[in-house]
């Protein structure tokens, strides 16, 4: 797998104080692959995701995305801010609480990365940003401020903002958990389309039916370890571990996805 | 019964105007310099390095927790002896007032910066911004909006604090009115007029601040 893998994580460890959140995690994501991370809260899945783009600095192990590899341990020096910034520019991230920039219009939000980080000319950045907004179905909201948008629209803008950096991989940190139920579908539809376009993605989610539909691999975590891993449908339909079975019993695992009625 | 006679003040009008000019000019200088010190103080307390944080905190507490009148006198009389630098009364009082104001501005600026949700700088970092870029482009523009009412308030206090420079014979409004009072034997009229002059400048400013606060409350 390592020939084609886009993301490779080996022996990743992370503690917050005396609380060991990740206990030697290894993970591969193939180019164009979609991996869903599921598990109860406190299982370490969000921390693992944040270690992929180094928003959280691991205590040990290694992270590789594309051709860039970072190793961590007691003797290794932490990468400097410029190296980190350059690395993160190649990984897009979508947050649970959107984290849109409230002092900028929707268009400016999407233009911000290309202008500040990629040093793109303003006119080019605007063209790119408008295209990305159109892609998530929000072209006509370009001049509005985030405060005037619904949660689902905000999250789609956040996806457009991440995509405007033309990243190699996309990371979704519970992207639909803060949304009203009727708004979940429109965001999932956008993610699903990205998957079908071949974007490499890691998705932390509680939407089990969605993970079953969209992810090709599924990882179930608990207490900082990977309990079970495999093809998404296989793990969800036929979990091997008792802990996985217990967790999945709380969810409707199949059925139709929430309707993506709004593309506007 | 005391006979009030404000008409005598008219003959001192140029003296008052002169003093008022010094007071306003002085305020502008100490507000600008104070904001510079405040910015350094705030970023100092937020620094990754412990030594820098300690230095900034020492500066803030030293100036926040001693009376400004004592600082003024100390800067003019004691500092030259300690550091061997002679200072004019104007330099000494500008420095003391700016540092004093800066210690309060520091806390306002620091408070504004840390009031911005961590998710904002995280989103900046996730886009590939350096900490400096996300501070300039994302955090500060939002934080400044929140700081403005408190900064305006502190600047109003600074405007009034300039009255203390008269103890070092800086010819501000209060100093010039002391001259006028001694000359006319009419201190009551003189200081009443001075109080009115300060209020006449500050009341419109406070109204502006209040309006600004309301607008801020609406936009958030």
């Amino acid at each position: 797998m390592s020939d084609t893998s886009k993301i490779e994580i080996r022996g990743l460890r992370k503690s917050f104080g005396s609380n060991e959140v990740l206990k030697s995690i290894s993970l591969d994501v193939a180019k164009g692959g979609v991996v869903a991370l599921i598990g109860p809260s406190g299982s370490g899945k969000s921390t693992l995701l944040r270690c992929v783009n180094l928003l959280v600095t691991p205590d040990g192990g290694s992270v590789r995305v594309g051709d860039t590899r970072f190793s961590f341990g007691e003797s290794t020096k932490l990468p400097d801010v410029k190296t980190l910034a350059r690395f993160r520019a190649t990984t897009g991230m979508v947050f649970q609480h959107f984290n849109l920039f409230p002092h900028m219009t929707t268009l400016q939000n999407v233009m911000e990365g290309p202008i500040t980080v990629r040093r793109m000319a303003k006119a080019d950045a605007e063209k790119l940003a408008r295209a990305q907004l159109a892609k998530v179905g929000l072209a006509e909201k370009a001049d509005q401020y985030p405060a005037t948008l619904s949660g689902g629209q905000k999250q789609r803008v956040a996806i457009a903002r991440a995509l405007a950096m033309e990243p190699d991989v996309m990371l979704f940190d519970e992207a639909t958990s803060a949304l009203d139920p009727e708004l979940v579908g429109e965001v999932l539809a956008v993610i699903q389309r990205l998957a079908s376009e071949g974007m490499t993605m890691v998705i932390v989610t509680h939407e089990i039916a969605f993970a079953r539909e969209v992810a090709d691999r599924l990882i179930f975590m608990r207490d900082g370890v990977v309990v079970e891993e495999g093809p998404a449908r296989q793990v969800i339909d036929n979990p091997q571990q008792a802990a996985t079975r217990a967790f999945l019993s709380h969810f409707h695992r199949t059925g139709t996805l929430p309707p993506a009625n709004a593309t506007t | 019964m005391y006979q009030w006679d404000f008409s005598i003040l008219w003959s001192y009008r140029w003296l008052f105007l002169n003093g008022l000019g010094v007071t306003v000019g002085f305020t502008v200088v100490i507000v600008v310099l104070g904001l510079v010190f405040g910015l350094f103080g705030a970023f100092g307390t937020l620094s990754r390095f412990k030594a820098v944080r300690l230095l900034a905190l020492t500066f803030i507490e030293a100036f926040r927790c001693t009376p400004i009148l004592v600082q003024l006198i100390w800067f003019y009389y004691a500092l030259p002896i300690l550091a061997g630098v002679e200072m004019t009364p104007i330099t000494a009082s500008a420095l003391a007032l700016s540092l004093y104001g800066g210690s309060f501005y520091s806390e306002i600026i620091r408070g504004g910066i840390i009031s911005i949700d961590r998710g904002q700088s995280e989103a900046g970092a996730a886009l590939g911004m350096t900490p400096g870029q996300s501070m300039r482009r994302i955090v500060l523009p939002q934080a400044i909006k929140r700081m403005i009412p408190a900064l305006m308030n502190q600047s109003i206090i600074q405007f009034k604090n300039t009255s203390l420079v008269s103890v070092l014979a800086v010819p501000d409004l209060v100093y010039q009115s002391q001259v006028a009072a001694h000359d006319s034997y009419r201190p009551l009229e003189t200081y009443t007029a001075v109080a009115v002059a300060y209020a006449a400048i500050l009341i419109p400013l406070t109204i502006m601040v209040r309006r600004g606060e309301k607008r801020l409350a609406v936009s958030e």
Side-chain angles (χ1 to χ4, degrees):
Chain A
M1 189 182 224
S2 62
D3 297 343
T4 54
S5 75
K6 191 84 191 169
I7 302 175
E8 179 195 282
I9 288 170
R10 290 290 174 268
L12 204 69
R13 285 183 291 107
K14 179 67 188 177
S15 300
F16 293 113
S18 61
N19 182 19
E20 196 175 9
V21 187
L22 298 177
K23 303 167 185 167
S24 193
I25 302 269
S26 295
L27 166 73
D28 287 282
V29 185
K31 189 171 185 329
V34 178
V35 169
L37 284 176
I38 64 168
S41 47
S43 59
K45 53 194 193 307
S46 276
T47 306
L48 173 59
L49 191 75
R50 280 154 177 269
C51 282
V52 176
N53 68 351
L54 302 182
L55 272 187
V56 169
T57 310
D59 298 332
S62 69
V63 174
R64 177 177 69 76
V65 176
D67 301 324
T68 318
R69 179 197 296 275
F70 295 96
S71 294
F72 301 90
E74 277 174 23
S75 56
T76 48
K77 225 174 96 218
L78 294 180
D80 64 281
V81 291
K82 287 240 166 73
T83 311
L84 272 181
R86 223 174 305 127
F87 171 65
R88 290 192 189 118
T90 65
T91 62
M93 187 168 212
V94 176
F95 298 87
Q96 180 177 0
H97 296 288
F98 329 129
N99 299 355
L100 291 179
F101 307 133
H103 58 303
M104 300 179 184
T105 64
T106 297
L107 183 69
Q108 288 167 335
N109 263 278
V110 184
M111 288 167 68
E112 184 56 32
I115 285 178
T116 304
V117 178
R118 296 173 69 191
R119 306 269 172 216
M120 200 181 268
K122 218 169 170 187
D124 297 338
E126 183 174 335
K127 221 164 101 189
L128 171 65
R130 285 196 189 278
Q132 293 299 349
L133 280 175
K135 203 171 162 190
V136 298
L138 291 171
E140 79 286 4
K141 300 282 184 189
D143 297 320
Q144 294 197 19
Y145 282 87
T148 65
L149 303 181
S150 75
Q153 290 171 336
K154 282 180 191 167
Q155 197 59 297
R156 286 189 282 153
V157 173
I159 293 172
R161 179 177 68 177
L163 289 175
M165 291 299 292
E166 298 177 324
D168 296 337
V169 306
M170 284 286 282
L171 311 172
F172 290 87
D173 189 6
E174 300 198 26
T176 59
S177 296
L179 297 177
D180 291 337
E182 77 272 19
L183 302 177
V184 168
E186 65 188 67
V187 173
L188 293 185
V190 171
I191 301 176
Q192 190 164 30
R193 207 174 58 227
L194 277 176
S196 69
E197 288 170 3
M199 176 65 83
T200 308
M201 301 198 278
V202 182
I203 301 171
V204 171
T205 187
H206 289 296
E207 302 284 341
I208 303 297
F210 174 71
R212 186 179 180 280
E213 210 60 44
V214 174
D216 34 55
R217 291 187 73 75
L218 186 117
I219 292 174
F220 173 68
M221 285 180 69
R222 207 181 71 169
D223 300 328
V225 294
V226 173
V227 174
E228 189 163 352
E229 176 182 2
R233 287 185 184 225
Q234 189 185 307
V235 175
I236 290 168
D237 295 343
N238 191 15
Q240 300 300 304
Q241 302 290 326
T244 318
R245 272 198 295 277
F247 177 74
L248 287 173
S249 68
H250 299 296
F251 295 92
H252 296 289
R253 294 176 233 178
T254 53
T256 52
L257 294 180
N261 43 13
T263 37
T264 50
Chain B
M1 182 69 187
Y2 185 75
Q3 287 295 313
W4 292 85
D5 179 12
F6 282 98
S7 66
I8 60 101
L9 296 175
W10 184 245
S11 57
Y12 298 102
R13 60 191 181 280
W14 297 117
L15 200 62
F16 288 132
L17 269 179
N18 225 310
L20 193 64
V22 170
T23 292
V24 170
F26 218 82
T27 306
V28 172
V29 170
I30 63 166
V31 164
V32 171
L33 272 180
L35 284 171
V36 172
F37 288 134
L39 219 55
F40 276 108
F43 283 112
T45 54
L46 296 171
S47 167
R48 281 182 295 153
F49 304 105
K50 199 172 174 191
V52 179
R53 287 203 301 272
L54 218 65
L55 197 74
L57 267 175
T58 310
F59 151 67
I60 290 169
E61 296 311 335
F63 283 92
R64 214 157 56 130
C65 301
T66 50
I68 178 62
L69 187 56
V70 174
Q71 289 170 23
L72 279 168
I73 295 168
W74 194 88
F75 263 74
Y76 186 56
Y77 295 105
L79 197 60
I81 297 169
L82 281 175
V85 280
E86 281 299 318
M87 275 190 287
T88 65
I90 291 190
T91 314
S93 31
L95 206 57
L97 276 168
S98 303
L99 287 166
Y100 176 78
S103 68
F104 286 93
Y105 289 138
S106 285
E107 288 297 280
I108 294 168
I109 295 169
R110 186 184 70 91
I113 289 172
I114 61 174
S115 79
I116 301 301
D117 180 39
R118 241 175 67 98
Q120 289 291 306
S121 49
E122 270 187 353
L127 284 177
M129 290 186 191
T130 61
Q133 285 173 329
S134 98
M135 181 56 75
R136 273 195 309 280
R137 300 283 308 170
I138 310 302
V139 177
L140 271 186
Q142 298 179 58
I144 285 171
K145 239 174 78 181
R146 292 191 191 172
M147 294 172 203
I148 280 174
L151 289 177
M152 284 292 283
N153 231 343
Q154 190 59 41
S155 302
I156 284 168
I157 296 172
Q158 283 292 81
F159 180 74
K160 294 191 294 177
N161 281 341
T162 58
S163 64
L164 297 167
V165 300
S166 58
V167 299
L168 299 185
V170 174
D172 77 320
L173 181 58
V174 168
Y175 181 84
Q176 300 293 35
S177 49
Q178 278 166 8
V179 172
H182 290 155
D183 188 59
S184 63
Y185 299 104
R186 288 281 179 180
L188 301 188
E189 284 85 347
T190 310
Y191 288 119
T192 306
V194 167
V196 169
Y198 274 98
I201 291 179
L202 285 184
I203 287 171
L205 277 178
T206 58
I207 291 171
M208 264 173 56
V209 174
R210 202 157 296 162
R211 285 218 185 119
E213 277 171 2
K214 251 184 224 148
R215 207 170 325 131
L216 201 70
V218 170
S219 75
E220 284 217 345

